[in-house]
Coordinates of all heavy atoms in Angstrom, one line a residue:
R308 N 8.2 -27.1 -79.6 CA 9.4 -27.9 -79.6 C 10.7 -27.0 -79.4 O 10.8 -25.9 -79.8 CB 9.5 -28.6 -81.0 CG 8.4 -29.6 -81.3 CD 8.6 -30.2 -82.6 NE 7.6 -31.2 -82.9 CZ 7.7 -32.5 -82.6 NH1 8.8 -32.9 -82.0 NH2 6.8 -33.3 -82.8
R309 N 11.6 -27.6 -78.7 CA 12.8 -26.9 -78.5 C 13.7 -26.9 -79.7 O 13.5 -27.8 -80.6 CB 13.6 -27.6 -77.4 CG 13.0 -27.4 -76.0 CD 13.9 -28.0 -74.9 NE 13.4 -27.7 -73.6 CZ 14.1 -28.1 -72.5 NH1 15.2 -28.7 -72.5 NH2 13.5 -27.8 -71.3
P310 N 14.5 -25.9 -79.9 CA 15.4 -25.9 -81.1 C 16.3 -27.2 -81.1 O 16.4 -27.9 -80.1 CB 16.2 -24.6 -80.9 CG 15.5 -23.8 -79.9 CD 14.7 -24.8 -79.0
R311 N 16.9 -27.4 -82.3 CA 17.8 -28.5 -82.4 C 18.9 -28.5 -81.4 O 19.3 -27.4 -81.0 CB 18.3 -28.6 -83.9 CG 17.2 -28.8 -84.9 CD 17.8 -28.8 -86.3 NE 18.8 -29.9 -86.3 CZ 19.5 -30.1 -87.4 NH1 19.4 -29.4 -88.5 NH2 20.4 -31.1 -87.5
A312 N 19.5 -29.6 -81.1 CA 20.5 -29.7 -80.1 C 21.7 -28.9 -80.5 O 22.4 -28.3 -79.6 CB 20.9 -31.2 -79.9
D313 N 22.1 -28.8 -81.8 CA 23.3 -28.1 -82.2 C 23.1 -26.6 -82.1 O 24.1 -25.9 -82.2 CB 23.7 -28.5 -83.6 CG 22.6 -28.3 -84.6 OD1 21.5 -28.1 -84.2 OD2 22.9 -28.2 -85.8
A314 N 21.8 -26.1 -81.9 CA 21.6 -24.7 -81.8 C 21.6 -24.3 -80.3 O 21.6 -23.1 -80.0 CB 20.3 -24.3 -82.4
R315 N 21.6 -25.2 -79.3 CA 21.6 -24.9 -77.9 C 22.8 -25.6 -77.3 O 22.6 -26.7 -76.7 CB 20.2 -25.3 -77.3 CG 19.0 -24.6 -77.8 CD 17.8 -25.2 -77.3 NE 17.7 -25.2 -75.8 CZ 17.3 -24.2 -75.1 NH1 16.8 -23.1 -75.7 NH2 17.3 -24.3 -73.8
R316 N 23.9 -25.0 -77.4 CA 25.2 -25.7 -77.0 C 25.7 -25.2 -75.7 O 26.5 -25.8 -75.0 CB 26.2 -25.6 -78.1 CG 25.9 -26.3 -79.4 CD 26.9 -26.0 -80.4 NE 28.2 -26.5 -80.1 CZ 28.6 -27.8 -80.4 NH1 27.7 -28.6 -81.0 NH2 29.8 -28.2 -80.1
G317 N 25.1 -24.0 -75.2 CA 25.6 -23.5 -73.9 C 27.1 -23.2 -73.9 O 27.6 -22.5 -74.7
T318 N 27.7 -23.8 -72.9 CA 29.2 -23.6 -72.7 C 30.0 -24.7 -73.4 O 31.2 -24.9 -73.1 CB 29.5 -23.5 -71.2 OG1 29.1 -24.7 -70.6 CG2 28.8 -22.3 -70.6
Q319 N 29.4 -25.5 -74.2 CA 30.0 -26.7 -74.8 C 31.2 -26.3 -75.6 O 32.3 -26.8 -75.6 CB 29.1 -27.5 -75.6 CG 29.7 -28.8 -76.2 CD 28.6 -29.6 -76.9 OE1 27.5 -29.3 -76.9 NE2 29.1 -30.7 -77.5
D320 N 31.0 -25.2 -76.5 CA 32.1 -24.8 -77.3 C 33.3 -24.2 -76.5 O 34.4 -24.4 -76.9 CB 31.6 -23.7 -78.3 CG 30.5 -24.3 -79.3 OD1 30.8 -25.3 -79.8 OD2 29.5 -23.6 -79.4
L321 N 33.0 -23.5 -75.4 CA 34.0 -23.0 -74.6 C 34.8 -24.1 -73.9 O 36.0 -24.1 -73.8 CB 33.4 -22.1 -73.5 CG 34.4 -21.3 -72.6 CD1 35.3 -20.4 -73.4 CD2 33.7 -20.5 -71.5
G322 N 34.1 -25.2 -73.5 CA 34.8 -26.3 -72.9 C 35.6 -27.1 -73.9 O 36.8 -27.5 -73.6
L323 N 35.2 -27.2 -75.2 CA 36.0 -27.8 -76.2 C 37.2 -27.0 -76.5 O 38.3 -27.5 -76.8 CB 35.2 -28.0 -77.5 CG 34.1 -29.1 -77.4 CD1 33.2 -29.1 -78.6 CD2 34.7 -30.5 -77.1
L324 N 37.1 -25.6 -76.4 CA 38.3 -24.8 -76.6 C 39.3 -25.0 -75.5 O 40.5 -25.1 -75.8 CB 37.9 -23.3 -76.6 CG 39.0 -22.3 -76.7 CD1 39.8 -22.5 -78.0 CD2 38.4 -20.9 -76.6
G325 N 38.9 -25.2 -74.3 CA 39.8 -25.5 -73.2 C 40.4 -26.8 -73.4 O 41.6 -27.0 -73.1
L326 N 39.7 -27.8 -73.8 CA 40.3 -29.1 -74.1 C 41.3 -29.1 -75.2 O 42.4 -29.7 -75.1 CB 39.1 -30.1 -74.5 CG 39.6 -31.5 -75.0 CD1 40.3 -32.2 -73.9 CD2 38.4 -32.3 -75.6
R327 N 41.1 -28.3 -76.3 CA 42.1 -28.2 -77.3 C 43.3 -27.5 -76.9 O 44.4 -27.8 -77.3 CB 41.4 -27.4 -78.5 CG 40.4 -28.2 -79.2 CD 39.8 -27.5 -80.5 NE 40.4 -26.2 -80.8 CZ 39.7 -25.1 -80.8 NH1 38.4 -25.1 -80.4 NH2 40.3 -24.0 -81.1
L328 N 43.2 -26.4 -76.0 CA 44.3 -25.7 -75.6 C 45.2 -26.6 -74.7 O 46.4 -26.6 -74.8 CB 43.9 -24.5 -74.8 CG 43.3 -23.3 -75.6 CD1 42.8 -22.2 -74.7 CD2 44.2 -22.8 -76.7
V329 N 44.6 -27.4 -73.8 CA 45.4 -28.2 -72.9 C 46.1 -29.3 -73.7 O 47.3 -29.5 -73.6 CB 44.5 -28.9 -71.8 CG1 45.2 -30.0 -71.1 CG2 43.9 -27.8 -70.9
L330 N 45.4 -29.9 -74.6 CA 46.0 -31.0 -75.4 C 47.0 -30.5 -76.4 O 48.1 -31.0 -76.5 CB 44.8 -31.8 -76.1 CG 45.2 -33.0 -76.9 CD1 45.8 -34.1 -76.0 CD2 44.1 -33.6 -77.7
G331 N 46.6 -29.4 -77.1 CA 47.5 -28.9 -78.2 C 48.8 -28.3 -77.6 O 49.9 -28.6 -78.1
L332 N 48.7 -27.6 -76.5 CA 49.9 -27.0 -75.9 C 50.8 -28.1 -75.3 O 52.0 -27.9 -75.3 CB 49.5 -26.0 -74.8 CG 48.9 -24.7 -75.3 CD1 48.4 -23.8 -74.1 CD2 49.9 -23.9 -76.1
T333 N 50.2 -29.1 -74.8 CA 51.1 -30.2 -74.2 C 51.9 -30.9 -75.3 O 53.1 -31.1 -75.2 CB 50.2 -31.2 -73.5 OG1 49.5 -30.6 -72.5 CG2 51.0 -32.4 -73.0
F334 N 51.2 -31.2 -76.4 CA 52.0 -31.8 -77.5 C 52.9 -30.8 -78.2 O 54.0 -31.2 -78.6 CB 51.0 -32.4 -78.6 CG 50.5 -33.7 -78.2 CD1 49.2 -33.9 -77.7 CD2 51.2 -34.9 -78.5 CE1 48.7 -35.1 -77.4 CE2 50.7 -36.1 -78.1 CZ 49.5 -36.2 -77.6
L335 N 52.6 -29.6 -78.3 CA 53.5 -28.6 -78.9 C 54.7 -28.4 -78.0 O 55.9 -28.3 -78.5 CB 52.8 -27.3 -79.0 CG 53.6 -26.1 -79.6 CD1 54.1 -26.5 -81.0 CD2 52.7 -24.8 -79.7
Y336 N 54.5 -28.4 -76.7 CA 55.6 -28.3 -75.7 C 56.6 -29.5 -75.9 O 57.8 -29.3 -76.1 CB 55.1 -28.3 -74.3 CG 56.1 -28.4 -73.2 CD1 56.8 -27.3 -72.8 CD2 56.3 -29.6 -72.6 CE1 57.8 -27.4 -71.8 CE2 57.3 -29.8 -71.6 CZ 58.0 -28.6 -71.2 OH 58.9 -28.8 -70.2
H337 N 56.1 -30.7 -75.9 CA 57.0 -31.9 -76.1 C 57.6 -31.9 -77.5 O 58.8 -32.4 -77.7 CB 56.2 -33.2 -75.8 CG 55.9 -33.4 -74.3 ND1 56.9 -33.7 -73.4 CD2 54.7 -33.3 -73.7 CE1 56.3 -33.8 -72.2 NE2 55.0 -33.5 -72.3
G338 N 56.9 -31.5 -78.5 CA 57.4 -31.5 -79.8 C 58.5 -30.5 -80.0 O 59.6 -30.8 -80.7
L339 N 58.4 -29.3 -79.4 CA 59.5 -28.3 -79.5 C 60.7 -28.8 -78.7 O 61.9 -28.4 -79.0 CB 59.0 -26.9 -79.0 CG 58.0 -26.3 -79.8 CD1 57.5 -25.0 -79.2 CD2 58.5 -26.0 -81.2
Q340 N 60.5 -29.5 -77.6 CA 61.7 -30.1 -76.9 C 62.5 -31.0 -77.8 O 63.7 -31.0 -77.8 CB 61.2 -30.9 -75.7 CG 60.8 -30.1 -74.5 CD 60.5 -30.9 -73.3 OE1 59.8 -32.0 -73.4 NE2 60.9 -30.5 -72.1
K341 N 61.8 -31.8 -78.6 CA 62.4 -32.8 -79.5 C 63.0 -32.1 -80.7 O 64.0 -32.5 -81.3 CB 61.5 -33.9 -79.9 CG 61.0 -34.7 -78.7 CD 60.0 -35.8 -79.2 CE 59.5 -36.6 -78.0 NZ 58.7 -35.9 -77.1
L342 N 62.3 -31.1 -81.2 CA 62.7 -30.5 -82.5 C 63.8 -29.5 -82.3 O 64.8 -29.5 -83.0 CB 61.5 -29.8 -83.2 CG 61.8 -29.1 -84.5 CD1 62.2 -30.0 -85.6 CD2 60.5 -28.3 -84.9
A343 N 63.6 -28.5 -81.4 CA 64.6 -27.4 -81.2 C 65.3 -27.4 -79.9 O 66.2 -26.6 -79.7 CB 63.8 -26.1 -81.4
G344 N 65.1 -28.4 -79.1 CA 65.8 -28.4 -77.8 C 65.3 -27.4 -76.8 O 65.9 -27.1 -75.8
W345 N 64.1 -26.8 -77.1 CA 63.6 -25.8 -76.1 C 63.1 -26.5 -74.9 O 62.8 -27.7 -74.8 CB 62.4 -25.0 -76.8 CG 62.9 -24.2 -78.0 CD1 64.1 -24.0 -78.4 CD2 62.0 -23.3 -78.8 NE1 64.2 -23.2 -79.5 CE2 62.9 -22.7 -79.7 CE3 60.7 -23.1 -78.8 CZ2 62.4 -21.9 -80.7 CZ3 60.2 -22.2 -79.8 CH2 61.0 -21.6 -80.7
F346 N 62.9 -25.7 -73.8 CA 62.4 -26.1 -72.5 C 63.2 -27.3 -72.0 O 62.6 -28.3 -71.5 CB 60.9 -26.5 -72.7 CG 60.0 -25.5 -73.4 CD1 59.5 -25.8 -74.6 CD2 59.8 -24.3 -72.8 CE1 58.7 -24.8 -75.3 CE2 59.0 -23.3 -73.5 CZ 58.5 -23.6 -74.7
H347 N 64.5 -27.2 -72.1 CA 65.4 -28.2 -71.6 C 65.2 -29.6 -72.3 O 65.4 -30.6 -71.7 CB 65.3 -28.4 -70.1 CG 65.4 -27.1 -69.4 ND1 66.6 -26.4 -69.2 CD2 64.5 -26.3 -68.8 CE1 66.4 -25.3 -68.5 NE2 65.1 -25.2 -68.2
G348 N 64.9 -29.5 -73.6 CA 64.6 -30.8 -74.3 C 65.9 -31.3 -74.9 O 66.9 -30.7 -75.0
P349 N 65.8 -32.6 -75.5 CA 67.0 -33.2 -76.0 C 67.4 -32.7 -77.4 O 68.5 -32.9 -77.9 CB 66.6 -34.7 -76.1 CG 65.1 -34.6 -76.2 CD 64.7 -33.4 -75.5
G350 N 66.5 -32.0 -78.1 CA 66.8 -31.6 -79.5 C 66.6 -32.8 -80.4 O 66.3 -33.9 -80.1
L351 N 66.8 -32.5 -81.7 CA 66.5 -33.5 -82.7 C 67.6 -34.6 -82.6 O 67.3 -35.8 -82.8 CB 66.6 -32.9 -84.1 CG 66.0 -33.7 -85.3 CD1 64.6 -34.2 -85.0 CD2 66.1 -33.0 -86.6
G352 N 68.9 -34.3 -82.4 CA 69.9 -35.3 -82.2 C 69.7 -36.2 -81.0 O 69.8 -37.4 -81.1
G353 N 69.3 -35.5 -79.9 CA 69.1 -36.3 -78.7 C 67.8 -37.2 -78.9 O 67.8 -38.3 -78.3
T354 N 66.9 -36.8 -79.7 CA 65.7 -37.6 -79.9 C 66.0 -38.8 -80.7 O 65.6 -39.9 -80.4 CB 64.6 -36.8 -80.6 OG1 64.3 -35.6 -79.9 CG2 63.4 -37.6 -80.9
R355 N 66.9 -38.7 -81.7 CA 67.4 -39.9 -82.4 C 68.1 -40.9 -81.5 O 67.9 -42.1 -81.6 CB 68.3 -39.4 -83.6 CG 67.6 -38.5 -84.6 CD 68.5 -38.4 -85.9 NE 68.1 -37.4 -86.8 CZ 68.6 -36.2 -86.8 NH1 69.6 -35.9 -86.0 NH2 68.2 -35.3 -87.6
D356 N 69.0 -40.4 -80.7 CA 69.7 -41.3 -79.8 C 68.8 -41.9 -78.8 O 68.9 -43.1 -78.5 CB 70.8 -40.5 -79.0 CG 71.8 -39.9 -79.9 OD1 72.0 -40.4 -81.1 OD2 72.5 -38.9 -79.5
M357 N 67.8 -41.2 -78.3 CA 66.8 -41.8 -77.4 C 66.0 -42.9 -78.0 O 65.8 -44.0 -77.5 CB 65.9 -40.7 -76.9 CG 64.8 -41.2 -75.9 SD 63.7 -39.9 -75.5 CE 63.0 -39.4 -77.1
L358 N 65.6 -42.7 -79.3 CA 64.9 -43.7 -80.0 C 65.7 -44.9 -80.3 O 65.3 -46.1 -80.3 CB 64.2 -43.1 -81.3 CG 63.2 -42.1 -81.1 CD1 62.7 -41.5 -82.4 CD2 62.0 -42.7 -80.3
A359 N 67.0 -44.7 -80.7 CA 67.9 -45.8 -81.0 C 68.2 -46.7 -79.8 O 68.2 -47.9 -79.9 CB 69.2 -45.2 -81.6
H360 N 68.4 -46.1 -78.6 CA 68.6 -46.8 -77.4 C 67.3 -47.5 -76.9 O 67.4 -48.5 -76.1 CB 69.1 -45.9 -76.3 CG 70.6 -45.5 -76.5 ND1 70.9 -44.2 -76.7 CD2 71.7 -46.2 -76.7 CE1 72.2 -44.0 -76.9 NE2 72.7 -45.3 -76.9
G361 N 66.2 -47.0 -77.4 CA 64.9 -47.6 -77.0 C 64.5 -48.8 -77.9 O 63.4 -49.3 -77.7
G362 N 65.3 -49.1 -78.8 CA 65.0 -50.3 -79.7 C 64.2 -49.9 -81.0 O 63.7 -50.8 -81.6
W363 N 64.1 -48.6 -81.3 CA 63.4 -48.2 -82.5 C 64.3 -48.4 -83.8 O 65.5 -48.2 -83.7 CB 62.9 -46.8 -82.4 CG 61.8 -46.6 -81.4 CD1 62.0 -46.4 -80.1 CD2 60.4 -46.6 -81.7 NE1 60.7 -46.3 -79.5 CE2 59.8 -46.4 -80.5 CE3 59.7 -46.8 -82.9 CZ2 58.4 -46.4 -80.4 CZ3 58.3 -46.8 -82.8 CH2 57.7 -46.6 -81.5
K364 N 63.7 -48.9 -84.8 CA 64.4 -49.0 -86.1 C 64.1 -47.8 -87.0 O 63.2 -47.0 -86.8 CB 63.9 -50.3 -86.8 CG 63.9 -51.5 -86.0 CD 63.2 -52.7 -86.6 CE 63.1 -53.9 -85.7 NZ 62.3 -54.9 -86.3
H365 N 65.0 -47.6 -88.0 CA 64.8 -46.5 -88.9 C 64.6 -45.2 -88.1 O 63.6 -44.5 -88.1 CB 63.6 -46.7 -89.8 CG 63.6 -48.0 -90.5 ND1 64.4 -48.3 -91.6 CD2 62.8 -49.1 -90.3 CE1 64.1 -49.5 -92.0 NE2 63.2 -50.0 -91.2
V366 N 65.7 -44.9 -87.4 CA 65.6 -43.8 -86.4 C 65.3 -42.5 -87.0 O 64.5 -41.7 -86.5 CB 67.0 -43.7 -85.6 CG1 66.9 -42.6 -84.6 CG2 67.3 -45.0 -84.9
E367 N 65.8 -42.2 -88.2 CA 65.5 -40.9 -88.9 C 64.0 -40.8 -89.2 O 63.4 -39.8 -88.9 CB 66.3 -40.8 -90.2 CG 67.8 -40.7 -90.0 CD 68.2 -39.4 -89.4 OE1 67.4 -38.4 -89.5 OE2 69.3 -39.3 -88.9
L368 N 63.4 -41.9 -89.7 CA 62.0 -41.9 -90.0 C 61.2 -41.8 -88.7 O 60.2 -41.0 -88.6 CB 61.6 -43.1 -90.8 CG 60.1 -43.3 -91.1 CD1 59.7 -42.1 -92.0 CD2 59.9 -44.6 -91.8
S369 N 61.6 -42.5 -87.7 CA 60.9 -42.5 -86.4 C 60.9 -41.1 -85.8 O 59.9 -40.6 -85.3 CB 61.4 -43.6 -85.5 OG 61.4 -44.9 -86.1
A370 N 62.1 -40.5 -85.8 CA 62.2 -39.2 -85.2 C 61.4 -38.1 -85.9 O 60.7 -37.2 -85.3 CB 63.6 -38.8 -85.1
S371 N 61.4 -38.2 -87.3 CA 60.6 -37.3 -88.1 C 59.1 -37.4 -87.9 O 58.4 -36.4 -87.7 CB 61.0 -37.5 -89.6 OG 62.3 -37.3 -89.8
L372 N 58.6 -38.6 -87.9 CA 57.2 -38.8 -87.6 C 56.8 -38.4 -86.3 O 55.7 -37.7 -86.1 CB 56.9 -40.3 -87.8 CG 57.0 -40.9 -89.2 CD1 56.7 -42.4 -89.2 CD2 56.0 -40.2 -90.2
L373 N 57.6 -38.6 -85.2 CA 57.3 -38.2 -83.9 C 57.2 -36.7 -83.8 O 56.3 -36.1 -83.2 CB 58.3 -38.8 -82.9 CG 58.1 -38.5 -81.4 CD1 56.7 -39.0 -80.9 CD2 59.2 -39.1 -80.6
T374 N 58.2 -36.0 -84.3 CA 58.4 -34.6 -84.2 C 57.2 -33.9 -85.0 O 56.6 -32.9 -84.4 CB 59.7 -34.1 -84.7 OG1 60.8 -34.8 -84.0 CG2 59.9 -32.6 -84.5
V375 N 57.0 -34.3 -86.2 CA 56.0 -33.7 -87.0 C 54.6 -33.9 -86.4 O 53.8 -32.9 -86.4 CB 56.0 -34.2 -88.4 CG1 54.8 -33.7 -89.2 CG2 57.3 -33.8 -89.1
S376 N 54.3 -35.0 -85.9 CA 53.0 -35.3 -85.3 C 52.8 -34.4 -84.0 O 51.7 -33.9 -83.8 CB 52.8 -36.8 -85.0 OG 53.7 -37.2 -84.0
E377 N 53.8 -34.3 -83.2 CA 53.6 -33.5 -82.0 C 53.6 -32.0 -82.3 O 52.7 -31.3 -81.7 CB 54.7 -33.8 -81.0 CG 54.6 -35.3 -80.4 CD 55.6 -35.5 -79.4 OE1 56.6 -34.7 -79.2 OE2 55.5 -36.6 -78.7
V378 N 54.5 -31.5 -83.1 CA 54.5 -30.0 -83.3 C 53.3 -29.6 -84.2 O 52.6 -28.7 -83.9 CB 55.9 -29.6 -84.0 CG1 55.8 -28.1 -84.3 CG2 57.0 -29.9 -83.0
G379 N 53.2 -30.3 -85.4 CA 52.2 -30.0 -86.3 C 50.8 -30.3 -85.7 O 49.9 -29.4 -85.8
G380 N 50.6 -31.4 -85.1 CA 49.3 -31.8 -84.5 C 49.0 -30.8 -83.4 O 47.8 -30.4 -83.3
G381 N 49.9 -30.4 -82.6 CA 49.6 -29.5 -81.5 C 49.2 -28.2 -82.0 O 48.2 -27.6 -81.4
I382 N 49.8 -27.6 -83.0 CA 49.4 -26.3 -83.5 C 48.0 -26.4 -84.1 O 47.2 -25.5 -83.9 CB 50.5 -25.8 -84.6 CG1 51.8 -25.6 -83.9 CG2 50.0 -24.6 -85.3 CD1 52.9 -25.2 -84.9
L383 N 47.8 -27.4 -84.9 CA 46.5 -27.5 -85.6 C 45.3 -27.7 -84.6 O 44.2 -27.2 -84.7 CB 46.5 -28.7 -86.6 CG 47.3 -28.5 -87.8 CD1 47.3 -29.7 -88.7 CD2 46.9 -27.3 -88.6
I384 N 45.6 -28.5 -83.5 CA 44.6 -28.7 -82.5 C 44.3 -27.4 -81.8 O 43.1 -27.0 -81.4 CB 45.1 -29.7 -81.5 CG1 45.0 -31.1 -82.1 CG2 44.2 -29.7 -80.2 CD1 45.6 -32.2 -81.3
I385 N 45.3 -26.6 -81.5 CA 45.1 -25.3 -80.8 C 44.2 -24.4 -81.7 O 43.3 -23.7 -81.2 CB 46.4 -24.6 -80.5 CG1 47.2 -25.4 -79.4 CG2 46.2 -23.2 -80.0 CD1 48.6 -24.9 -79.2
L386 N 44.5 -24.4 -83.0 CA 43.7 -23.5 -83.9 C 42.4 -24.1 -84.2 O 41.5 -23.4 -84.7 CB 44.5 -23.3 -85.2 CG 45.9 -22.6 -85.1 CD1 46.6 -22.6 -86.5 CD2 45.7 -21.2 -84.6
G387 N 42.2 -25.4 -84.0 CA 41.0 -26.0 -84.4 C 40.9 -26.2 -85.9 O 39.8 -26.0 -86.5

Side-chain angles (χ1 to χ4, degrees):
R308 294 181 178 270
R309 289 186 175 183
R311 295 181 58 183
D313 58 343
R315 296 174 57 91
R316 297 174 63 88
T318 59
Q319 182 176 355
D320 296 314
L321 185 61
L323 290 174
L324 174 61
L326 172 63
R327 289 186 359 245
L328 291 177
V329 171
L330 186 64
L332 289 174
T333 301
F334 277 100
L335 181 60
Y336 171 81
H337 288 287
L339 292 176
Q340 281 185 319
K341 298 177 179 65
L342 177 64
W345 294 359
F346 312 112
H347 308 285
L351 194 56
T354 302
R355 296 193 194 100
D356 296 337
M357 177 183 62
L358 294 175
H360 290 118
W363 289 86
K364 309 169 187 176
H365 310 286
V366 179
E367 294 290 339
L368 177 61
S369 300
S371 299
L372 291 176
L373 179 60
T374 304
V375 170
S376 64
E377 290 186 349
V378 175
I382 294 175
L383 292 178
I384 288 175
I385 294 172
L386 298 177

